[in-house]
């Protein structure tokens, strides 16, 4: 007994350490805490073609092909992939690329089954284009390799009309930012119910009232990448019709490089709180506040619906981590419901399924994976603006710059276990080469 006791204690200690590390990993994923993720992932994309005349008013997938770069070795094996379900009969095509010794690109279509987990049905939106721009993105995309991937009628924003009992039953199957799973009927009804104005339905709700409208809506989408430090792009950014910003967007002291205007601020309650904690010492005190600014929630939790409603109605939050005795003040004293918009969960799921279908979805991180908040913002602009100029996003020369433009010392770019930032970088490059966005690369 005297000899075995220390061994038992050692085994218990090892088991406790293992359990502790696993718990830490789960907490990090839930809170989007930075974790090292150094292994490059490949560009696997699932994409669907849709029937807009479907009687269910959903867009259904069918077989099609798209020439997009992925590694042959990274293609999923339908017979071994965990999420393959025999009763699912819808098929996608993933196109792989091989490059023989002579440099010729060969695209090989592969057809894995679609799991119900990913959801191959999307609502159809009837929001019309707000301009008659002769060369807008929606027209140009038809001449590119993204023509089968890009959905013209995907609902980008959700508002009062989208909440119905039927839609709740459909969307509650998907969790996080991809659906309404985990959000109660009462919270959705009370929150989406107040988003009942044209300002909540249209991205550019003030376009018709602008005195100096151009023929095309030009958008600057500004990430927080270190590539902007010393760029002197501020004036150019502010000259756009609309300026999109995200999360820890620090403007004071950096106007020469990043501009001073904010038309749209994209965030989730979680990412905003993380930005306040992580970048408060660098100057981030909260979302930009101006008469022009609209706030676009990326809802991945019931907290987002609850915070939006409390802020829009100037009432207190009675439950959850943001519980307060006074109305939220993040968005200024004069904010009204017209200042708020919310991304539709179908849109976020569509981006994951068609543009950013990562190999992380084949790992234990599947539950937590979603496109970064900045990626959702840029792709939302791609679906609503006529022209898009992207600044501060990851480019192939990313190692030459600090993580953020406001870093006081050079810091390496940080990767997160619930995002695939390298895959996003490759997507930006492809959209740039296709002429759908103009990506600032500082070459």
């Amino acid at each position: 007994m005297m000899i075995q006791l220390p061994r038992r204690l050692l085994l218990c200690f090892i088991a406790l350490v293992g359990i502790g590390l696993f718990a830490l990993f789960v907490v990090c994923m839930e809170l989007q805490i930075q974790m090292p993720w150094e292994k490059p992932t490949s560009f696997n994309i699932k994409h669907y073609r849709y029937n807009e005349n479907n009687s269910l008013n959903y867009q259904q997938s069918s077989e099609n092909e798209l020439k997009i770069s992925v590694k042959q070795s990274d293609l999923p094996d339908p017979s071994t992939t965990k999420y393959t379900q025999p009763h699912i009969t819808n098929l996608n095509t993933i196109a792989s690329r091989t490059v023989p010794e002579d440099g010729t690109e060969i695209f090989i279509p592969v057809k894995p089954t679609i799991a119900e987990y990913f959801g191959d049905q999307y609502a159809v939106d009837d929001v019309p284009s707000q301009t008659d721009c002769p060369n807008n993105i929606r027209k140009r995309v038809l001449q590119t390799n993204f023509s089968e991937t890009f959905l013209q009628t995907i609902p980008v924003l959700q508002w009062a009309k989208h909440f119905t009992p039927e839609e709740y039953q459909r969307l509650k199957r998907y969790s996080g930012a991809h659906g309404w799973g985990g959000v109660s009927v009462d919270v959705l009804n009370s929150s989406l119910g107040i988003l009942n104005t044209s300002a909540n339905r249209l991205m550019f709700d003030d376009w018709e009232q602008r005195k100096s409208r151009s023929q095309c809506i030009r958008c600057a989408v500004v990430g927080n990448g270190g590539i902007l430090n010393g760029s002197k792009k501020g004036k150019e950014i502010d000259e756009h019709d609309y300026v999109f910003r995200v999360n820890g967007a620090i403007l004071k002291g950096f106007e020469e490089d990043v501009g001073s205007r904010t038309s749209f601020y994209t965030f989730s309650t979680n990412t905003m709180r993380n930005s306040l904690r992580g970048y408060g010492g660098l100057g981030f005190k909260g979302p930009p506040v101006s008469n022009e600014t609209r706030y676009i929630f990326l809802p991945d939790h019931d907290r987002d619906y609850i915070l939006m409603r409390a802020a829009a109605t100037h009432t207190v939050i009675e439950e959850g981590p943001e519980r307060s005795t006074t109305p939220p003040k993040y968005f200024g004293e004069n904010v009204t419901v017209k200042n708020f918009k919310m991304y539709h969960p179908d849109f976020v799921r569509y981006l994951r399924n068609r543009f950013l279908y990562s190999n992380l979805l084949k790992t234990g991180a599947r539950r937590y994976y979603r496109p970064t908040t900045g990626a959702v913002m840029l792709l939302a602009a791609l679906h609503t603006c006529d022209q898009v100029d992207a600044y501060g996003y990851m480019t192939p020369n990313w190692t030459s710059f600090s993580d953020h433009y406001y870093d006081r010392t050079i810091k390496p770019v940080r990767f997160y276990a619930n995002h695939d930032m390298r895959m996003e970088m490759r997507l930006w490059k492809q959209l740039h080469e296709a002429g759908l966005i103009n990506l600032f690369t500082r070459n």
Side-chain angles (χ1 to χ4, degrees):
M1 293 297 293
M2 294 296 292
I3 297 175
Q4 294 180 1
L5 183 58
R7 291 181 181 176
R8 291 180 179 177
L9 289 175
L10 179 60
L11 291 174
C12 291
F13 176 76
I14 293 173
L16 288 173
V17 170
I19 294 172
L21 289 174
F22 177 77
L24 178 62
F25 174 79
V26 172
V27 170
C28 288
M29 291 292 240
E30 288 286 2
L31 298 179
Q32 298 187 25
I33 296 175
Q34 175 193 315
M35 297 180 66
W37 200 265
E38 295 301 329
K39 183 179 179 181
T41 55
S42 300
F43 202 171
N44 276 0
I45 286 195
K46 289 194 173 184
H47 51 92
Y48 320 126
R49 187 173 182 175
Y50 298 83
N51 176 9
E52 296 180 10
N53 297 320
N54 187 282
S55 60
L56 293 176
N57 206 34
Y58 296 144
Q59 296 154 339
Q60 303 279 1
S61 66
S62 63
E63 298 179 15
N64 60 79
E65 298 181 13
L66 176 64
K67 295 181 179 180
I68 204 94
S69 300
V70 294
K71 293 181 180 178
Q72 175 70 20
S73 60
D74 288 328
L75 293 170
D77 181 354
S79 65
T80 59
T81 304
K82 291 182 179 179
Y83 56 77
T84 299
Q85 299 181 20
H87 69 280
I88 300 297
T89 57
N90 295 339
L91 298 177
N92 292 5
T93 296
I94 297 179
S96 67
R97 182 184 70 176
T98 60
V99 182
E101 293 181 0
D102 63 2
T104 304
E105 293 187 343
I106 301 175
F107 294 89
I108 305 172
V110 181
K111 299 176 181 178
T113 59
I114 302 174
E116 187 68 15
Y117 175 88
F118 294 104
D120 60 334
Q121 293 183 335
Y122 305 96
V124 175
D125 212 340
D126 56 0
V127 175
S129 174
Q130 293 185 248
T131 70
D132 294 319
C133 183
N135 191 32
N136 65 27
I137 291 171
R138 289 170 294 284
K139 296 175 182 176
R140 296 200 306 273
V141 75
L142 299 176
Q143 283 74 52
T144 73
N145 285 337
F146 289 92
S147 60
E148 296 292 342
T149 303
F150 190 97
L151 255 180
Q152 301 278 354
T153 55
I154 188 76
V156 177
L157 302 174
Q158 61 175 328
W159 56 296
K161 82 157 190 177
H162 291 113
F163 181 73
T164 65
E166 294 77 17
E167 282 295 270
Y168 180 73
Q169 291 301 317
R170 180 177 70 89
L171 289 172
K172 74 175 184 179
R173 294 180 296 170
Y174 313 115
S175 61
H178 307 110
W180 289 341
V183 185
S184 72
V185 170
D186 291 340
V187 167
L188 284 169
N189 188 35
S190 62
S191 298
L192 293 182
I194 68 172
L195 298 180
N196 56 10
T197 73
S198 61
N200 311 126
R201 177 174 63 96
L202 298 173
M203 182 67 77
F204 312 110
D205 56 88
D206 66 340
W207 181 249
E208 299 299 327
Q209 288 73 47
R210 292 198 172 194
K211 296 180 179 179
S212 56
R213 295 194 306 273
S214 58
Q215 190 175 14
C216 301
I217 294 176
R218 298 175 58 249
C219 298
V221 185
V222 187
N224 299 324
I227 192 172
L228 282 173
N229 189 287
S231 66
K232 302 189 186 307
K233 286 292 179 178
K235 183 175 183 296
E236 179 180 310
I237 289 171
D238 282 345
E239 287 175 348
H240 287 75
D241 295 310
Y242 295 94
V243 180
F244 289 70
R245 300 190 192 274
V246 65
N247 289 341
I250 302 173
L251 304 184
K252 187 175 181 180
F254 299 95
E255 293 87 350
E256 186 178 19
D257 291 335
V258 303
S260 59
R261 289 178 53 213
T262 302
S263 311
F264 302 104
Y265 175 73
T266 287
F267 66 106
S268 71
T269 303
N270 194 42
T271 63
M272 182 181 69
R273 286 170 62 90
N274 286 345
S275 296
L276 287 167
R277 286 194 298 263
Y279 312 126
L282 298 175
F284 182 75
K285 304 305 180 185
V289 176
S290 72
N291 292 334
E292 176 187 11
T293 305
R294 305 292 189 262
Y295 304 98
I296 313 181
F297 277 85
L298 173 56
D300 56 11
H301 198 278
D302 60 357
R303 297 161 60 191
D304 300 289
Y305 296 94
I306 293 170
L307 175 60
M308 184 279 296
R309 186 179 187 281
T313 58
H314 297 271
T315 55
V316 301
I317 301 175
E318 298 180 348
E319 58 181 323
E322 286 71 47
R323 185 170 56 250
S324 62
T325 57
T326 59
K329 304 297 184 184
Y330 297 117
F331 315 103
E333 298 287 343
N334 300 319
V335 70
T336 71
V337 69
K338 294 182 178 180
N339 291 92
F340 292 100
K341 307 177 194 291
M342 300 192 89
Y343 289 116
H344 197 294
D346 269 0
F347 180 68
V348 183
R349 198 172 71 259
Y350 150 81
L351 298 183
R352 180 198 67 184
N353 291 348
R354 299 176 58 135
F355 288 89
L356 291 166
Y357 187 88
S358 170
N359 280 334
L360 293 176
L361 291 167
K362 297 181 288 181
T363 72
R366 179 178 70 178
R367 176 185 171 190
Y368 305 98
Y369 170 75
R370 70 164 173 81
T372 63
T373 311
V376 174
M377 176 178 71
L378 178 50
L379 291 169
L382 184 78
H383 284 73
T384 53
C385 304
D386 294 323
Q387 300 170 11
V388 171
D389 296 320
Y391 306 83
Y393 278 79
M394 185 178 283
T395 56
N397 57 343
W398 59 272
T399 56
S400 301
F401 310 105
S402 188
D403 195 5
H404 305 106
Y405 65 79
Y406 42 77
D407 291 334
R408 292 175 180 169
T409 59
I410 299 297
K411 296 181 179 179
V413 173
R414 300 173 178 180
F415 294 87
Y416 294 82
N418 57 336
H419 301 309
D420 193 338
M421 295 168 62
R422 288 184 176 88
M423 184 180 186
E424 293 182 3
M425 175 185 67
R426 292 190 287 273
L427 177 60
W428 312 147
K429 184 173 183 290
Q430 290 186 339
L431 291 171
H432 175 77
E433 291 172 347
L436 298 178
I437 67 172
N438 180 35
L439 180 66
F440 175 58
T441 61
R442 204 165 179 172
N443 289 330

